[in-house]
């Protein structure tokens, strides 16, 4: 089963990387097309938001992968996601409140999902680190 | 919840990975159940009982009863 899990994990990682590559490609195309062409406001808007499409497919991939995992890993992932959403949400709220009182640089909301993904990964690895060694 | 998983696994000379393979779960899941960090679902508890040829009550018991 561990070999099966490894194969499944590798297949998931390959698909994950392909989705990331697709996202970067769409992002690059949208930026280049917006900068090199004089497009209408609707086309510009569509192109600006188009990188979200591969991200939606990526989300579907991650959810399907989540469903295939065992109950313990699902629990760890769920708790990690709660931490990630909570930390990013609190940070965004704190920054928002701060910006009401003090002049601070504007941070694009486009960084929220990557921030959640990074904190999710860190939280998951912390939670699973204690299970790495067989007792 | 307390359990006798480590003892039963040692009796069978199985590693956590061996048991995980038999149950179709990750090694981390077996580790978490053994150390009491995770209480298994009924489905997994039945699978464990079947794997060791014992009843669920013989493998798991509430902490209070163990003292």
């Amino acid at each position: 089963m561990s070999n099966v899990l490894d194969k499944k994990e590798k297949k998931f990682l390959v698909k994950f990387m392909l989705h990331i590559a697709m996202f970067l490609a769409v992002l690059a195309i949208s930026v280049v097309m917006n900068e090199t062409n004089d497009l209408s406001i609707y086309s510009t808007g569509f192109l600006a938001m188009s990188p979200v499409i591969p991200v939606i497919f990526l989300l579907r991939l991650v959810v399907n992968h989540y469903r295939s995992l065992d109950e313990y890993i699902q629990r760890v992932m769920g708790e990690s996601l709660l931490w990630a959403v909570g930390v990013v949400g609190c940070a965004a709220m704190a920054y928002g409140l701060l910006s009401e009182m003090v002049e601070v640089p504007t941070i694009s909301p486009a960084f929220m999902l990557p921030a959640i993904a990074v904190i999710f990964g860190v939280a998951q690895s912390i939670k699973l680190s204690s299970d790495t060694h067989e007792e | 919840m307390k359990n006798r998983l480590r003892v039963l696994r040692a009796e069978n000379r199985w590693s956590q990975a061996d048991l995980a393979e038999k149950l179709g779960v990750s090694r981390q899941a077996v580790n978490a159940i053994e150390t009491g960090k995770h209480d298994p679902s009924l489905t997994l508890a039945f699978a464990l009982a079947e794997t060791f040829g014992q009843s669920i009550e013989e493998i798991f018991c509430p902490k209070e009863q163990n003292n």
Side-chain angles (χ1 to χ4, degrees), chain A residues 9 24 27 30 38 49 51 54 61 80 95 98-99 101-102 105 129:
Chain A
E9 207 68 30
L24 292 172
L27 183 68
S30 75
D38 191 20
M49 292 190 293
L61 177 78
S80 304
Y95 202 78
L98 182 70
S99 67
M101 309 282 181
V102 184
S129 63

Side-chain angles (χ1 to χ4, degrees), chain B residues 36-52:
Chain B
K37 280 202 298 185
H38 175 66
D39 291 333
S41 67
L42 205 51
T43 313
L44 187 52
F46 271 114
L48 277 163
E50 198 184 331
T51 304
F52 288 115

